[in-house]
Amino acid sequence: MKKIESDKSTELVEYYEAKLKKLFSIRKQLKDYLKQENTKIQEVVVCDDMFVEYPYYIRTKKGGKYWKAALKFHIKPEEL
């Protein structure tokens, strides 16, 4: 009886290890993609029990000082 229980738990452990490995792989792919796109996601802001916000910013070659003007005139920073 104990042998059967230990075999089941071994299967369960292997199942969860496989799931974790897959999730870590997906997380690494997402992190690499965001790094390639020069995007940084900040800490999650909980608005209420139904909504959360993910503040982010995008790094540009010209730097952050152009973003204020771009937002004011509704243009892309590359056009400045």
Side-chain angles (χ1 to χ4, degrees), residues 42-48 51-55:
Q42 299 173 346
E43 292 292 320
V44 176
V45 177
V46 178
C47 299
D48 57 23
F51 296 100
V52 294
E53 290 181 357
Y54 292 90

Side-chain angles (χ1 to χ4, degrees), residues 2-43:
K2 289 183 180 181
K3 184 177 181 183
I4 294 172
E5 288 176 355
S6 65
D7 289 343
K8 287 184 181 178
S9 66
T10 313
E11 290 175 5
L12 192 60
V13 168
E14 290 174 0
Y15 171 77
Y16 284 121
E17 285 177 348
K19 287 288 186 183
L20 279 174
K21 187 175 181 180
K22 183 177 179 182
L23 288 173
F24 286 141
S25 173
I26 292 170
R27 183 176 178 183
K28 184 178 180 340
Q29 289 172 354
L30 289 172
K31 186 177 178 181
D32 291 343
Y33 174 76
L34 290 172
K35 188 174 183 177
Q36 179 184 356
E37 296 295 321
N38 294 322
T39 303
K40 176 74 174 176
I41 298 177
Q42 299 173 346
E43 292 292 320

